[in-house]
Amino acid sequence: MKGNYNIAVLDMNAGQPNEGMRCITTLMGDFLTQDGVKGRYDIFEVRNGQELPDLNEYDIFVSSGGPGSPLKTGAEWEIKYFGFLDSILSHNLSNAQKKHAFLICHSFQLACLHWDVARVTKRRSTSFGIFPIYKTKSGEQEVLFKDLNDPFYAVDSRDYQVVGPKEWKLDTLDGKVLCREKIRPNVPLERAVMAIRFSNEIFGVQFHPEADAEGMLRYFGKEEKRNQIVKRHGKKKYLEMITQLDDKAKIWKTNKTLIPTFLKLAAEAIDSQKLQTV
């Protein structure tokens, strides 16, 4: 990587404070301070501010998770966001210099709905904690997962789920279902989809690969947050999460692998495409 890369971070949190954006911006900063790497990242407040990046000004887009329902409401920000997603697809179909996007949780659900590649439904209960994520056959071949175990572990926090993927629609985009949630032998429900490669340049996950163990330990160690988790999910769940956060083979590895690998490969593709167009 020896280039200049402008990154747009799309904040989907609707003004609510969260750890996800801190984690994302830390990863962007780490990438941009590597030897030979130049550029910047800018943050766009999508839901409250109705801000979206100029496609021509940025090479890489990272769209965050966020609170609330992902189901379509017709809100102005939503219509603009869907148009933005379509503009990336359209650009990549007709230009040699591609744009690269990574969609997290809420953004992932919105993309699945908008492109109609799967259903998004409300879960019977909230999924909250650190869980194993299982690769599909396609996921076993996915370059972004090459250095992750099967299963690997990630933070999961959602009231909705992506189910019933429409494989034929994904095929039209050259897309693939890459991961599913943990196996629940006593629950007769379809396992939710946890990651999809929508196209060669657009990747999405249901979980939170940005979560870092050190920051999460600090965050969950705060009395107010600890009490909130214990009240909602029980003391056992809280203690289980704290133990898993301390395990280097779990979210620490996912944090150090998935988004950094996406950024590295996106940068290498951009460099290669620039050379080809010279």
Side-chain angles (χ1 to χ4, degrees):
M1 297 179 295
K2 295 282 182 186
N4 193 314
Y5 316 102
N6 291 337
I7 304 171
V9 177
L10 282 67
D11 182 350
M12 303 290 285
N13 287 284
Q16 294 193 21
N18 68 96
E19 281 291 288
M21 283 299 294
R22 178 193 63 78
C23 296
I24 290 169
T25 55
T26 297
L27 288 168
M28 300 306 109
D30 290 346
F31 170 73
L32 291 169
T33 53
Q34 293 179 73
D35 288 343
V37 175
K38 296 178 182 177
R40 72 181 197 273
Y41 72 83
D42 296 316
I43 298 173
F44 295 83
E45 169 53 77
V46 176
R47 292 169 72 175
N48 281 5
Q50 295 193 28
E51 298 173 348
L52 284 167
D54 181 342
L55 202 65
N56 296 316
E57 197 175 332
Y58 298 90
D59 314 293
I60 300 170
F61 305 88
V62 178
S63 192
S64 80
S69 167
L71 303 181
K72 293 181 180 181
T73 64
E76 190 174 348
W77 73 263
E78 192 180 80
I79 295 165
K80 289 180 177 178
Y81 183 73
F82 291 151
F84 172 75
L85 291 178
D86 286 342
S87 71
I88 297 177
L89 270 184
S90 178
H91 172 94
N92 288 346
L93 285 171
S94 55
N95 289 272
Q97 191 72 43
K98 311 298 185 186
K99 304 293 181 178
H100 301 262
F102 194 106
L103 312 175
I104 299 170
C105 198
H106 196 87
S107 299
F108 171 70
Q109 293 168 347
L110 287 170
C112 287
L113 275 175
H114 177 59
W115 287 327
D116 193 29
V117 296
R119 302 193 322 276
V120 178
T121 63
K122 199 166 194 309
R123 288 176 54 86
R124 290 201 305 193
S125 61
T126 300
S127 178
F128 179 79
I130 296 168
F131 295 112
I133 295 168
Y134 293 82
K135 300 176 188 178
T136 63
K137 283 195 164 90
S138 295
E140 290 170 5
Q141 308 304 315
E142 170 57 49
V143 64
L144 293 187
F145 293 152
K146 182 170 66 73
D147 294 326
L148 291 173
N149 297 331
D150 187 17
F152 61 92
Y153 287 79
V155 170
D156 193 14
S157 177
R158 60 193 165 90
D159 291 315
Y160 290 80
Q161 61 186 352
V162 173
V163 292
K166 300 175 183 178
E167 306 278 1
W168 67 272
K169 281 202 171 181
L170 283 169
D171 285 345
T172 65
L173 298 170
D174 202 19
K176 294 175 176 65
V177 173
L178 301 174
C179 296
R180 292 188 182 272
E181 68 181 343
K182 65 179 181 177
I183 299 166
R184 296 174 292 172
N186 299 320
V187 181
L189 296 173
E190 181 182 358
R191 291 165 65 203
V193 172
M194 299 301 284
I196 290 176
R197 180 169 284 286
F198 294 101
S199 71
N200 289 334
E201 297 81 23
I202 304 174
F203 190 90
V205 297
Q206 177 68 93
F207 52 91
H208 288 274
E210 76 277 18
D212 65 38
E214 186 181 345
M216 297 293 280
L217 276 168
R218 278 199 310 270
Y219 182 61
F220 290 135
K222 293 177 180 177
E223 185 178 1
E224 181 186 355
K225 192 64 185 174
R226 181 174 66 247
N227 292 342
Q228 184 183 340
I229 294 170
V230 170
K231 183 177 179 182
R232 189 171 180 189
H233 302 284
K235 188 174 181 180
K236 182 181 177 184
K237 169 66 74 175
Y238 176 79
L239 294 174
E240 181 185 278
M241 280 191 67
I242 296 302
T243 301
Q244 290 184 312
L245 283 169
D246 226 11
D247 187 339
K248 287 260 175 140
K250 293 191 174 174
I251 76 160
W252 185 91
K253 188 170 184 181
T254 303
N255 168 264
K256 298 295 181 188
T257 302
L258 194 45
I259 293 177
T261 304
F262 165 79
L263 294 171
K264 175 178 177 289
L265 294 178
E268 288 174 354
I270 290 163
D271 292 345
S272 175
Q273 288 153 9
K274 281 179 179 173
L275 285 174
Q276 291 170 21
T277 55
V278 171

